[in-house]
C-alpha cells in the first residue's frame, strides 16, 4: 500500500545480493541510484530473548552483506516492541548503520514510513 502511494510499487522487483559466500534474496528491491532493499521485520514481540534472537540473526546477515561488491541500502520495515525496557537502543545499535559505508541500513517504523517514501517520490 505504501509503495503504491509513493508510485514505486510497479518499479519494485525481487533481487539477490551476491556476497563473498552466499546469495541473499530480497522480495522487495528498488533502484534509485543504488539498490534499495526493503525487509519486513516484526520486533513487536513479548519476550526480549525472541527480539534479541531476531536482531542477532539480522546482524549476522548484515555482516555477510557487507562483503557484497555493490553499494546498497537496506530498510527494515519494522514494528518496535511495545514495552521498551531498553531493547530499542539495542535494536538501533545493532541494525542501524548510517555512517556512509557502502552498506547502509535503517529501521523504518509505521511512524517514519512516509518520510522514507518521500525520498523516493518522483
Amino acid at each position: 500500500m505504501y509503495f503504491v502511494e509513493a508510485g514505486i510499487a510497479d518499479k519494485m522487483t525481487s533481487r539477490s545480493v551476491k556476497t563473498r559466500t552466499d546469495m541473499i534474496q530480497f522480495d522487495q528491491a528498488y533502484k534509485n541510484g543504488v539498490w534499495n532493499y526493503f525487509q519486513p521485520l516484526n520486533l513487536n514481540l513479548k519476550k526480549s530473548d525472541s527480539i534479541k534472537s531476531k536482531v542477532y540473526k539480522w546482524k549476522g546477515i548484515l555482516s555477510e552483506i557487507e562483503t557484497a561488491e555493490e553499494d546498497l541500502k537496506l530498510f527494515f520495515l519494522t514494528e518496535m516492541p511495545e514495552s521498551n525496557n531498553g531493547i530499542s537502543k539495542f535494536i538501533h545499535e545493532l541494525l542501524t548503520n548510517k555512517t556512509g559505508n557502502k552498506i547502509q541500513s535503517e529501521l523504518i517504523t509505521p511512524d517514519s514510513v512516509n518520510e522514507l517514501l518521500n525520498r523516493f517520490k518522483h
Side-chain angles (χ1 to χ4, degrees):
M1 176 176 153
Y2 293 115
F3 297 127
V4 172
E5 291 174 11
I8 64 170
D10 58 335
K11 298 174 186 163
M12 294 185 79
T13 185
S14 63
R15 187 168 191 274
S16 296
V17 175
K18 184 180 183 328
T19 66
R20 186 176 336 137
T21 60
D22 202 0
M23 295 286 286
I24 300 176
Q25 177 68 33
F26 292 94
D27 293 334
Q28 298 173 309
Y30 172 73
K31 188 158 188 180
N32 183 15
V34 299
W35 277 102
N36 299 277
Y37 298 91
F38 303 92
Q39 177 62 45
L41 182 62
N42 182 9
L43 297 172
N44 190 11
L45 306 171
K46 291 183 181 183
K47 294 183 180 180
S48 61
D49 285 346
S50 299
I51 295 168
K52 287 181 179 182
S53 180
K54 277 189 168 187
V55 170
Y56 284 131
K57 172 188 171 188
W58 275 101
K59 179 62 177 171
I61 293 170
L62 281 172
S63 294
E64 180 63 24
I65 289 173
E66 288 175 0
T67 68
E69 293 185 14
E70 68 179 275
D71 293 350
L72 64 92
K73 294 180 182 176
L74 176 57
F75 298 98
F76 291 104
L77 307 174
T78 187
E79 289 210 26
M80 297 297 280
E82 286 180 16
S83 60
N84 191 332
N85 300 337
I87 197 85
S88 289
K89 182 178 179 186
F90 168 83
I91 294 167
H92 280 278
E93 285 181 2
L94 269 70
L95 297 183
T96 302
N97 172 5
K98 298 182 189 179
T99 60
N101 295 336
K102 68 180 199 169
I103 308 300
Q104 295 181 30
S105 59
E106 289 184 49
L107 294 169
I108 304 299
T109 63
D111 294 338
S112 62
V113 73
N114 287 329
E115 178 185 326
L116 168 71
L117 294 175
N118 283 333
R119 297 187 221 169
F120 296 107
K121 284 185 179 177
H122 298 300

